């Protein structure tokens, strides 16, 4: 496959996306390491799908790409309010993988928040992940908080291994109560691992009961949903809800429907840095201006 066509299919993977929330609640994003925009009320970084412990041809040094990511975030001219990792911190939920990931991520200057991916809950329903990265106020992994006039919601929508997402009734009940306290004009940012909408159900790239959560969010005028899982950037909008899947720094995956199944996509080593990178996005009144930037 020609390099240009490959990039067109898989999007970008790389060092993370720096998002800025303005006082009006509009979300803009740009590359980690890009010059910081002025006048922002709040900024944070999203990273996703680190897969510590992965060792295959698609990337035989995921620890190295994580180290590059951390250095890039720490080198930002203005540190973000926090770094949010949207799941698959590890590849196989092994204690040594959690230990390595925690040790490396502790090098971040900014506070770290995270939720599990399906690779983080293998065999123990997430007990190892919560022991390493859980919050005292989030015994089941999901939580919310307010900062800078924005209400942030962190959901856990993974179960079993390589299945479609699932929130479950207890979490949906919690979400209903959580959102009931918010005004309709409050900007809402939702984090999840698996896409909440039906991005590509044939590969499990959806959340079985996600429509119930989206119905609760529909009354808000400014909603942004950020997730990982699919290792590529896809933008999507439904009414007032804007979705953005995140790149991975572990390995790319094929675009929906371009392969028999999802999974690590190997490119020639001399091209790997050309498909590792970042994107910049500006949202103004719902219109997105996106620029992609390769690392190599």
């Amino acid at each position: 496959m020609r390099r240009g066509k490959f990039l067109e299919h898989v999007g970008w993977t790389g060092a993370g996306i720096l998002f800025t929330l303005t006082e009006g609640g509009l979300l803009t994003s740009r590359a980690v390491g890009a010059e910081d925009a002025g006048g922002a009320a709040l900024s944070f970084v999203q990273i996703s799908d680190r897969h510590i412990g992965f060792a295959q041809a698609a990337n035989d040094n995921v620890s190295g790409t994580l180290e590059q990511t951390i250095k890039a975030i720490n080198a930002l001219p203005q540190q973000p309010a926090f770094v949010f990792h949207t799941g698959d911190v590890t590849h196989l939920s092994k204690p040594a993988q959690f230990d390595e990931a925690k040790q490396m991520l502790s090098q971040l200057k900014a506070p770290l928040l995270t939720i599990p991916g399906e690779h983080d809950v293998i065999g123990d329903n997430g007990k190892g992940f919560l022991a390493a990265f859980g919050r005292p106020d989030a015994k089941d992994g999901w939580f919310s908080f307010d900062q800078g006039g924005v209400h942030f919601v962190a959901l856990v929508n993974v179960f079993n291994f390589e299945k479609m997402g699932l929130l479950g009734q207890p979490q949906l009940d919690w979400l209903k109560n959580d959102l009931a306290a918010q005004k309709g004009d409050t900007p809402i940012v939702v984090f999840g691992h698996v896409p909440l909408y039906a991005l590509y159900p044939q590969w499990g790239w959806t959340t079985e009961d996600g429509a119930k959560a989206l119905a609760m969010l529909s009354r808000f005028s400014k909603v942004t949903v950020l997730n990982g899982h699919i290792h590529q950037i896809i933008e999507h909008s439904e009414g007032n809800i804007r979705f953005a899947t995140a790149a991975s720094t572990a390995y790319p995956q094929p675009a929906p429907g371009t392969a028999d199944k999802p999974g690590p996509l190997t490119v020639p080593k001399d091209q790997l840095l050309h498909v590792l990178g970042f994107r910049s996005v500006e949202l103004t009144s719902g219109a997105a201006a996106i620029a992609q930037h390769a690392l190599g």
Side-chain angles (χ1 to χ4, degrees), residues 75-272:
L76 288 171
Q78 177 182 324
Q79 280 298 290
F82 55 84
V83 175
F84 204 107
H85 193 305
T86 47
D88 281 354
V89 177
T90 68
H91 193 58
L92 293 174
S93 303
K94 300 295 185 182
Q97 294 173 7
F98 285 122
D99 289 345
E100 180 181 353
K102 187 173 183 179
Q103 181 178 1
M104 294 186 71
L105 290 168
S106 69
Q107 300 172 37
L108 287 164
K109 294 179 181 178
L112 174 70
L113 303 172
T114 187
I115 50 176
E118 79 280 2
H119 284 261
D120 297 317
V121 300
I122 300 171
D124 67 354
N125 292 318
K127 291 181 180 178
F129 173 88
L130 291 174
F133 296 103
R135 292 163 53 103
D137 60 341
K139 67 181 181 68
D140 296 308
W142 56 79
F143 58 93
S144 67
F145 61 97
D146 298 288
Q147 193 164 346
V150 180
H151 187 63
F152 293 90
V153 180
L155 299 176
V156 177
N157 60 343
V158 295
F159 75 106
N160 291 329
F161 186 79
E162 296 294 357
K163 303 293 184 181
M164 72 176 63
L166 180 71
L167 292 163
Q169 196 58 48
Q171 188 172 192
L172 288 169
D173 292 341
W174 170 86
L175 179 62
K176 181 179 179 180
N177 291 333
D178 179 79
L179 294 176
Q182 304 302 319
K183 297 180 179 179
D185 60 353
T186 300
I188 308 291
V189 174
V190 179
F191 299 102
H193 181 65
V194 181
L196 280 181
Y197 74 100
L199 193 157
Y200 200 67
Q202 297 94 316
W203 285 357
W205 289 359
T206 185
T207 299
E208 183 177 330
D209 50 3
K212 296 179 180 179
L214 296 178
M216 298 179 199
L217 293 164
S218 64
R219 74 176 179 89
F220 295 96
S221 58
K222 306 177 187 70
V223 182
T224 303
V225 181
L226 306 173
N227 67 271
H229 187 58
I230 73 168
H231 295 221
Q232 60 196 279
I233 295 168
I234 295 179
E235 302 284 343
H236 176 71
S237 294
E238 293 182 8
N240 60 332
I241 304 177
R242 298 176 178 86
F243 303 87
T245 63
S248 165
T249 60
Y251 52 83
Q253 291 201 79
T258 61
D260 292 336
K261 60 182 180 180
L265 186 61
T266 301
V267 300
K269 286 191 175 182
D270 62 355
Q271 294 185 25
L272 183 58

